[in-house]
């Protein structure tokens, strides 16, 4: 039994700590106003400005007779209720939200989201446009309003307007209004839903994001890093070039972290291969070069880039590219063979001969021999208009 109680206590403690980390009651910016309402009169009471990140609030209304004092402030009560959801779930603490003392007087009240609507109520007593209306006169009341369950609280709500109507036809009334906002720790940094959407939309227009079939994860990752590093106000104050650098730096990290890099480069390889088969050599070179420039090239990428340079008679570039491929993998025979072709076509037969001879008894792939690949490549070169008097000489060499 003791063990069960201990586990329950630890669970409750953990939940409380977790809730406290997600936000807090902002007692420093709580509203406390004591107003006098004349008999049969209506009055508007404006709350203090809510802090950025307010997602819900607790309000308490208490009517007092002359000389009566409040038994305890709303702020002091909320210290014992760290999680606002506990109030709506009927926790014991919710009972104490109601005033322990109140007078005999009663009033009706309504809550409005704008001053204009509140003024109409003040003049005509109309509650149709109220986000919350209490048509039955009460001597005390307390409620929790949250962004997901009340029309009174929205992401851009900065204050509310309480309208009170006295139910006393002869005497003035004393009304105490207390409002305590709950601040979401994350939203308090200014990153509202709309602001986060703007960051993601701007990310999607970047050159890197446009290369992706689906850039959602990539842009969300960048948004999260920006939100962690800056408040919204801080990010807005950055110079355009500073914002661009933030996107670039965080983008480089997210490109790797989200695994999108592999997808993007594989798509580039596929595109390059298709362009090569179609004879779109300039596009193939562009795709392979981009992989190389991003330092993501494999030995096979260099082999393919070197081959496209050969087909387009750019022998110097082919040699340079293929030597880079050798540094990555000195056993990749497609690199070796294309390098031999490059030397041959560049008029360096002696260098080509050494390579052709060295690997003549090996396969370049699981099913294609060194000699078979040489013949196929020479046929492709001839089709592309590339002739060399040493082709036959090499074929005899590797028989």
């Amino acid at each position: 039994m003791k063990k069960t109680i201990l586990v329950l206590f630890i669970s409750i403690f953990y939940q409380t700590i977790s809730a406290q980390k997600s936000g807090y009651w902002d007692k420093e910016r709580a509203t406390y106003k004591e107003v006098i309402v004349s008999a049969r009169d209506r009055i508007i009471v404006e709350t203090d400005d809510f802090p950025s990140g307010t997602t819900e609030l607790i309000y308490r209304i208490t009517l007092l007779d002359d000389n009566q004092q409040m038994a305890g402030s709303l702020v002091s009560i909320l210290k014992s209720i760290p999680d606002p959801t506990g109030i709506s779930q009927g926790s014991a603490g919710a009972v104490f939200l109601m005033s322990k003392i109140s007078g005999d007087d009663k009033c009706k009240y309504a809550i409005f989201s704008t001053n204009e609507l509140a003024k109409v109520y003040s003049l005509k007593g109309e509650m149709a446009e109220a986000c919350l209306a209490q048509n039955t006169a009460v001597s005390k009341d307390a409620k929790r309003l949250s962004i997901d369950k009340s029309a009174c609280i929205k992401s851009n709500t900065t204050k509310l307007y309480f309208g009170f109507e006295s139910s006393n036809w002869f005497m003035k009334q004393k009304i105490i209004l207390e409002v305590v906002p709950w601040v979401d720790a994350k939203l308090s940094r200014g990153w509202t839903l709309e602001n986060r959407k703007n960051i993601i939309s701007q990310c999607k227009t970047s050159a890197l994001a446009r290369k992706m079939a689906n850039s959602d994860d990539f842009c969300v990752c960048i948004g999260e890093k920006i939100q962690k590093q800056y408040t919204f106000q801080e990010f807005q104050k950055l110079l355009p070039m500073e914002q661009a650098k933030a996107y670039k730096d965080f983008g480089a990290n997210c490109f790797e972290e989200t695994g999108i890099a592999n997808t993007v480069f594989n798509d580039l390889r596929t595109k390059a291969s298709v362009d090569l088969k179609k004879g779109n050599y300039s596009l193939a070179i562009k795709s392979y070069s981009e992989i190389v420039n991003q330092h993501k090239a494999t030995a096979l990428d260099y082999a393919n880039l070197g081959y496209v340079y050969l087909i387009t008679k750019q022998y110097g570039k082919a040699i340079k590219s293929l030597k880079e491929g050798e540094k990555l993998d000195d056993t990749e025979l497609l690199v070796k063979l294309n390098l031999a072709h490059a030397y041959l076509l560049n008029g360096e037969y002696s260098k080509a001969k050494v390579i052709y001879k060295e690997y003549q008894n090996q396969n370049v792939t699981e099913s294609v021999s060194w000699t078979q690949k040489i013949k196929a490549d020479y046929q492709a070169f001839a089709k592309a208009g590339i002739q060399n008097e040493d082709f036959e000489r090499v074929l005899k060499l590797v028989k």
Side-chain angles (χ1 to χ4, degrees), residues 16-246:
T16 299
I17 295 299
S18 297
Q20 287 176 313
K21 286 183 178 180
S22 67
Y24 56 92
W25 295 112
D26 194 336
K27 62 181 181 180
E28 301 300 326
R29 285 175 282 192
T31 296
Y32 180 93
K33 293 190 177 182
E34 181 176 326
V35 297
I36 301 297
V37 185
S38 302
R40 293 179 293 176
D41 197 8
R42 284 188 294 271
I43 190 173
I44 301 299
V45 180
E46 179 181 324
T47 67
D48 295 335
D49 288 341
F50 299 144
S52 178
T54 297
T55 58
E56 47 198 295
L57 58 83
I58 296 293
Y59 71 84
R60 185 172 70 173
I61 296 168
T62 309
L63 275 73
L64 298 178
D65 293 337
D66 289 341
N67 301 320
Q68 281 187 307
Q69 301 295 320
M70 295 292 292
S73 72
L74 183 58
V75 167
S76 64
I77 292 170
L78 290 176
K79 287 180 180 178
S80 63
I81 311 175
D83 182 357
T85 59
I87 295 166
S88 62
Q89 293 168 355
S91 67
V95 174
F96 294 101
L97 290 176
M98 303 297 289
S99 301
K100 292 182 180 179
I101 184 171
S102 63
D104 295 328
D105 281 341
K106 295 183 179 182
C107 74
K108 299 178 183 179
Y109 72 89
I111 306 176
F112 300 90
S113 57
T114 68
N115 190 34
E116 290 72 20
L117 295 175
K119 286 180 178 179
V120 173
Y121 166 80
S122 178
L123 294 173
K124 302 179 181 179
E126 295 179 0
M127 294 186 176
E129 299 298 326
C131 58
L132 188 149
Q134 176 61 46
N135 286 302
T136 303
V138 294
S139 61
K140 56 187 176 182
D141 203 2
K143 284 185 174 65
R144 167 184 172 243
L145 305 179
S146 64
I147 196 168
D148 56 336
K149 293 183 179 179
S150 173
C152 294
I153 303 293
K154 298 179 182 178
S155 60
N156 59 349
T157 299
T158 57
K159 62 175 57 181
L160 291 175
Y161 303 84
F162 283 74
F164 296 101
E165 181 178 345
S166 171
S167 295
N168 192 319
W169 282 55
F170 303 103
M171 303 292 292
K172 64 184 180 181
Q173 293 180 319
K174 183 193 294 185
I175 299 176
I176 306 295
L177 172 65
E178 299 166 279
V179 182
V180 184
W182 170 267
V183 180
D184 182 284
K186 187 174 182 180
L187 293 180
S188 66
R189 295 172 60 80
W191 292 108
T192 62
L193 178 62
E194 194 62 34
N195 291 338
R196 298 200 305 274
K197 283 182 178 179
N198 289 337
I199 290 293
I200 292 175
S201 296
Q202 190 168 344
C203 165
K204 284 181 172 291
T205 64
S206 67
L208 185 56
R210 287 199 297 268
K211 295 175 184 177
M212 304 173 190
N214 188 338
S215 61
D216 288 352
D217 290 346
F218 173 71
C219 290
V220 167
C221 176
I222 290 178
E224 288 176 347
K225 289 184 180 297
I226 289 175
Q227 291 167 50
K228 185 177 180 180
Q229 181 74 23
Y230 305 98
T231 66
F232 176 71
Q233 290 75 17
E234 289 171 345
F235 190 71
Q236 288 294 95
K237 290 179 181 178
L238 293 179
L239 297 171
M241 63 185 69
E242 292 175 323
Q243 289 189 5
K245 186 177 185 302

Side-chain angles (χ1 to χ4, degrees), residues 253-264:
N253 293 332
C254 290
F255 196 55
E256 299 295 336
E257 291 176 13
T258 58
I260 291 175
N262 291 333
T263 301
V264 170

